[in-house]
């Protein structure tokens, strides 16, 4: 255990997070640090790519290599990194606006490629960093600065979306439950292929509806239903249907499917950065010979 | 001496393959050729043609005129009438009703029942081979030279198909020999082995030689061929190609792969390039290498997707939010597509910034015989990286990715996987490490550091090329593909005693003002020739070197490449009509 604390320490950085006290993102950070430590990973083996938003700051507070890029674009960065060097553990993270608004297209495509990435969406049902606008996961009728009369749209339902598009790992976590969240992150990182973890991470400053208490009252833990089987697609759909998407735990996991880098090129690695990028003269001539 | 041949018809009639076959045969037999395809953004229907110009020395342009026109339909005759001259030959299908060559030029006509003959052989599809055979006879080209090419092309479809094509070719050949007298002997051929290459292929090869091992792209004419090339070759070198969901993803995946230490690029054209603008800012800010190849086509919007234009210059120079260092390279020949793409990868890594290679449809999709492809000098080195030993010598957390202490502004980069090199590439303004900042003084210093990287940038003598009379009174200026017509126009002007020179700009950012200035100073008159409607290159010249009053523009923006004649006319008097700006 001492060992684990030491390695959790490795994933800490000195600068203090700038999140509001009580923000759900703190727990995501702590759970993720714990999860990678539990998995015995080294900081140089992990890349955390994030978008923009309060949630996007996760990479700055996490002691691995990181890329804090553009709004909605954490997944293309993560995929570039993962395909360039499949030996790295690649995690992408961001908010519900980031992932299901501007970045929705990237989400579906990373998912259908089954790129070996863990994607954590810190879902607070609102835009935090831009000070409280309606997000794609805000409930219909949700009042905010951009929907003073209540949101007119139906919310995006990320779990359905992921399941219907053939995701190989779908889970949901809650910032109010560090232990479960850590376990889910561990399983998601261990899963080979694309893993979605939608993580309810309350915004204590702007969202007065979807609070910790609200989630505690509504969420149903799959681990408390011992006969739940995450291998069954149908069961997964019927559960999230039954509970309006408000379940936590590993909802679906398909083992044994090849990840994208194994399909595209059969798993061979791209020439690593530290080996000389060279080509012999014979090889050069061989390429040219196609044109004679 | 030279010859020009063209086949035209409806898209889907095998125009392209007819052209390809003849181009291959001519190139293999040692003729210098240049092949240009004109096509429409349609799969079937619409006019299309394939033109080949054959010369006894290297040729970079498909030529103003036409000796032999192989017309599969009436439209081909009408559309290409202006290129025909007295003595030109039209070979046409007289089994089709409605093909009636006009008679106002002294043309030779060779009506051949192409479709009937093909049907007699058992398949209408081979009418293009019958026509090919007739063309060969008209050019006194021996049939045996076609054998290996036909074998290669049709072997996969079985011996029957090979034989059918052989027969069709022979039938056309014999029919022409028996019925028509006109002969258009080919220019003498050399004894050098020639490669037949396109700009897009050479861009791909330049990328491979430059160490590119990852390409993410989204299909778009005329850049898709680069993706095909990479799909074919990259896997042999441990590389990967991803068809991204859009250009935003493509460009950003390339940034991710570069961040992870693999040389990576994306290739696109106009609208796709616009989608990448946000990402260009990101690469600049995070100091991540990035290579973008923009094969320009007609814009704006989806504009003229299958026509050539050079109207993305301003976007290459200035596109994206904020201010970042960037390099923009513009090849002007098919061979240079290789050279500059190779260097793009070296420079991107060295300066840790976006490098844009701007080619265009004419360069990208045309093919030429090349006798000067020497690949032995392209060796890559790693640049601007911190080694594991250096990192090991530092205390934990001491490594500063965006170190301000570097005089040239280039702080050595660590790569995920390297111990003790941890950092976060940050799109927000940041300090030397990876902490977001808003402090005005630090912001200014970080900004200056980034811009300092290219302060003294000079690509060297190859930034520009100059041809002609040094003390000329007329200076022609261009970038990219119009150089090929300009070179020939200049040749004619010089032969006519005109004192003129041609300046070709190949690096447009950072602008090599010191190199360009003397040429503009010496010239009495400067004519900037470019394929766009607002004179973007002329504007750049005025901005970078002045001489506003001397600079005039010759612009063409109808999607069609310049002709040599048009340039000569513009210089020689019909100025009023053609000068703009
Ligand atoms: C292209 C672009 N559009 C808009 C923004 C402004 N912006 C920054 S964060 C954000 C929304 C963040 O919401 P969410 O992803 O839910 O994250 P949260 O702050 O709630 O954690 C927006 C719209 C931006 N940075 N870039
Ligand atoms: S605004 Fe909301 S999401 Fe952002 S840090 Fe504060 S509590 Fe967290």
């Amino acid at each position: 255990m001492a060992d684990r604390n030491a390695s959790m320490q490795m994933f800490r950085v000195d600068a203090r997070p700038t999140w509001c006290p009580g923000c759900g993102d703190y727990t995501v950070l702590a759970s993720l640090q714990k999860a990678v430590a539990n998995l015995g990973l080294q900081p140089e083996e992990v890349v955390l790519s994030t978008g923009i938003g309060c949630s996007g700051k996760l990479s700055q507070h996490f002691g691995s290599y990181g890329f804090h890029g553009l709004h909605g674009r954490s997944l293309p960065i993560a995929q570039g990194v993962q395909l360039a060097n499949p030996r790295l553990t690649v995690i992408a993270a961001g908010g519900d606006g980031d992932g299901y608004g501007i970045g929705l297209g990237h989400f579906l495509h990373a998912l259908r490629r089954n790129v070996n990435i863990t994607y954590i969406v810190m879902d607070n049902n609102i835009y935090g960093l831009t000070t409280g606008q309606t997000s794609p996961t805000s409930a219909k009728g949700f009042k905010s600065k951009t929907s003073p009369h209540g949101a007119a749209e139906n919310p995006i339902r990320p779990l359905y979306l992921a399941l219907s598009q053939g995701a190989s790992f779908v889970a949901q976590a809650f910032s109010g439950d560090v232990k479960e969240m850590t376990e889910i992150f561990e399983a998601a990182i261990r899963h080979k292929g694309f893993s979605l973890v939608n993580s309810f991470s309350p915004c204590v400053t702007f969202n007065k509806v979807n609070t910790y208490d609200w989630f505690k009252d509504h969420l149903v833990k799959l681990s408390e239903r011992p006969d739940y089987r995450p291998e069954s697609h149908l069961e997964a759909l019927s559960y999230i249907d039954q509970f309006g998407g408000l379940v936590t735990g590993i909802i679906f996991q398909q083992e044994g499917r090849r990840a994208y880098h194994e399909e595209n090129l059969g798993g061979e690695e791209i020439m690593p950065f530290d080996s000389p990028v060279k080509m012999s003269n014979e090889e050069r001539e061989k390429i040219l010979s196609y044109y004679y | 001496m030279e010859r020009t041949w063209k086949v035209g018809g409806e898209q889907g009639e095998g125009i392209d393959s007819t052209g390809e076959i003849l181009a291959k045969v001519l190139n293999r037999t040692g003729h210098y050729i240049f092949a240009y395809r004109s096509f429409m953004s349609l799969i079937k229907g619409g006019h299309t043609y394939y033109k080949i110009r054959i010369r006894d020395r290297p040729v970079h342009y498909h030529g103003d005129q036409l000796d032999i026109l192989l017309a599969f339909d009436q439209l081909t005759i009408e559309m290409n009438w202006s290129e025909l001259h007295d003595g030109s030959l039209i070979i046409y299908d007289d089994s089709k009703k409605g093909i009636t060559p006009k008679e106002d030029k002294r043309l030779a006509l060779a009506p051949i029942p192409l479709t009937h003959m093909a049907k007699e052989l058992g398949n209408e599809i081979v009418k293009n081979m019958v026509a090919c055979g007739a063309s060969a006879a008209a050019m006194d080209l021996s049939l045996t030279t076609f054998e290996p090419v036909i074998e290669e092309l049709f072997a996969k479809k079985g011996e029957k198909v090979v034989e059918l094509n052989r027969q069709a070719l022979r039938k056309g050949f014999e029919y022409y020999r028996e019925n028509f007298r006109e002969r258009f002997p080919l220019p003498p051929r050399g004894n050098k082995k020639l490669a037949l290459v396109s700009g897009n292929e050479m861009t791909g090869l330049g990328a491979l030689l430059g160490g590119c091992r990852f390409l993410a792209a989204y299909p778009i004419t005329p850049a898709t061929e680069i993706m095909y090339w990479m799909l074919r070759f990259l896997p042999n070198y441990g590389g990967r190609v991803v068809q991204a969901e859009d250009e935003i993803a493509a460009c950003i995946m390339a940034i991710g792969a570069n961040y992870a230490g693999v040389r990576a690029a994306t290739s696109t054209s106009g609208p796709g390039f616009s989608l990448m603008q946000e990402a260009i800012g990101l690469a600049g800010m995070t100091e991540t290498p990035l290579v973008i190849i923009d094969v320009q086509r007609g814009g704006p919007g989806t504009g003229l997707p299958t026509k050539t234009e050079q109207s993305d210059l301003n976007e290459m120079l200035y596109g994206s939010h904020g201010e970042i260092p960037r390099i923009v390279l513009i090849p002007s020949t098919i061979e240079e597509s290789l050279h500059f793409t190779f260097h793009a990868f070296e420079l991107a890594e060295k300066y840790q910034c976006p490098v844009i290679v701007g080619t265009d449809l004419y360069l990208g999709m045309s093919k030429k015989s090349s006798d000067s492809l020497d690949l032995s000098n392209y060796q890559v080195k790693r640049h601007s990286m911190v080694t594991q030993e250096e990192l090991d010598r530092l205390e934990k957390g001491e490594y500063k990715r965006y170190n301000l202490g570097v005089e040239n502004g280039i702080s050595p980069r660590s790569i995920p996987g390297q111990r003790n090199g941890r950092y976060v590439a940050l799109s927000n303004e940041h300090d030397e490490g990876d902490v977001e900042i808003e402090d005005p003084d630090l912001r200014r210093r970080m900004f200056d550091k980034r811009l300092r990287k290219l302060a003294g940038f000079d690509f060297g003598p190859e930034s520009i090329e100059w041809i002609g009379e040094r003390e000329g009174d007329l200076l022609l200026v261009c970038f990219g593909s119009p150089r090929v017509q300009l070179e020939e126009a200049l040749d004619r002007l010089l032969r006519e005693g005109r004192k003129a020179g041609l300046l070709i700009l190949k690096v447009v950012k950072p602008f090599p003002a010191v190199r360009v200035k003397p040429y503009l100073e010496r010239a009495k008159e400067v004519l900037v020739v470019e394929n766009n409607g607002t004179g973007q290159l002329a504007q750049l010249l005025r901005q970078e070197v002045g001489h506003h009053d001397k600079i005039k523009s010759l612009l063409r923006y109808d999607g069609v490449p310049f002709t040599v004649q048009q340039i000569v006319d513009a210089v020689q008097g019909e100025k009023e009509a053609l000068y703009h700006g």
Side-chain angles (χ1 to χ4, degrees), chain B residues 408-449:
Chain B
N408 61 8
I410 306 164
S411 25
R413 184 163 73 103
S414 64
I415 300 295
Q418 282 184 308
R419 282 182 313 280
N420 211 15
R422 180 256 170 206
Y423 77 100
V424 178
L426 202 56
S427 173
N428 284 78
E429 189 59 272
H430 43 260
D431 67 3
E432 291 181 277
D434 49 15
V435 177
E436 210 175 305
I437 57 115
E438 289 180 6
D439 171 66
D441 179 58
L442 192 51
R443 150 69 182 187
R444 194 174 42 71
R445 287 192 292 142
M446 292 307 301
F447 184 99
D448 289 346
K449 171 194 125 66

Side-chain angles (χ1 to χ4, degrees), chain A residues 4-245:
Chain A
R4 260 186 213 161
N5 282 336
S7 67
M8 199 177 154
Q9 189 58 37
M10 294 193 300
F11 288 93
R12 296 213 169 106
V13 295
D14 291 339
R16 277 193 42 206
T18 49
W19 292 313
C20 308
C23 174
D25 293 350
Y26 284 101
T27 325
V28 175
L29 175 62
S31 305
L32 194 59
Q33 285 166 329
K34 228 185 199 134
V36 288
N38 289 347
L39 292 168
L41 293 166
Q42 297 295 311
E44 66 268 15
E45 298 169 340
V46 181
V47 175
L48 177 57
S49 152
T50 58
I52 299 298
C54 297
S55 43
K57 305 212 184 240
L58 191 72
S59 52
Q60 281 185 67
H61 305 315
F62 188 77
S64 74
Y65 277 91
F67 203 117
H68 187 179
L70 294 165
H71 191 37
R73 317 281 176 227
S74 65
L75 282 169
I77 289 281
Q79 290 172 82
V81 171
Q82 202 280 333
L83 296 171
N85 186 355
R87 284 171 298 172
L88 297 167
T89 294
V90 184
I91 302 162
D96 39 317
D98 193 79
Y100 307 139
I102 189 166
L104 184 68
H106 303 314
F107 167 53
L108 292 178
H109 289 280
L111 182 162
R112 75 178 245 272
R113 288 184 190 110
N114 200 31
V115 185
N116 190 17
I117 287 174
T118 297
Y119 185 37
I120 301 168
V121 180
M122 288 168 256
D123 188 354
N124 55 14
N125 310 94
I126 200 161
Y127 283 16
L129 191 70
T130 43
T131 69
Q133 299 86 11
T134 297
S135 110
T137 57
S138 303
K140 185 162 184 190
F142 183 80
K143 287 193 176 166
S144 86
K145 287 178 182 164
T146 48
S147 59
H149 308 294
E153 302 98 334
N154 273 336
I156 290 269
R157 295 181 295 177
L159 306 178
Y160 280 109
L161 203 54
L163 284 166
S164 69
Q165 296 308 310
S168 59
F169 184 104
V170 181
Q172 192 154 261
F174 170 45
S175 281
D177 189 340
V178 182
K179 188 172 164 285
E180 190 191 28
M181 187 180 255
T182 307
E183 284 163 11
I184 291 173
F185 286 167
E186 273 184 58
I189 294 170
R190 251 189 274 113
H191 176 78
K192 197 185 70 183
F194 187 86
S195 327
L196 169 71
V197 186
N198 194 67
S199 304
F200 290 121
S201 172
C203 170
V204 292
T205 305
F206 295 110
N207 192 334
K208 305 295 182 203
V209 178
N210 310 102
T211 61
Y212 284 94
D213 285 342
W214 184 90
F215 280 113
K216 274 185 195 137
D217 288 347
H218 288 81
L219 286 174
V220 173
K221 262 176 121 155
L222 290 176
S223 58
E224 284 164 7
R225 301 185 173 245
D227 52 343
Y228 184 79
R229 297 173 308 128
E231 324 59 86
S232 163
H233 214 253
L234 264 181
E235 205 171 338
L237 284 167
S238 89
Y239 254 75
I240 54 176
D241 206 35
Q242 192 181 337
F243 300 106

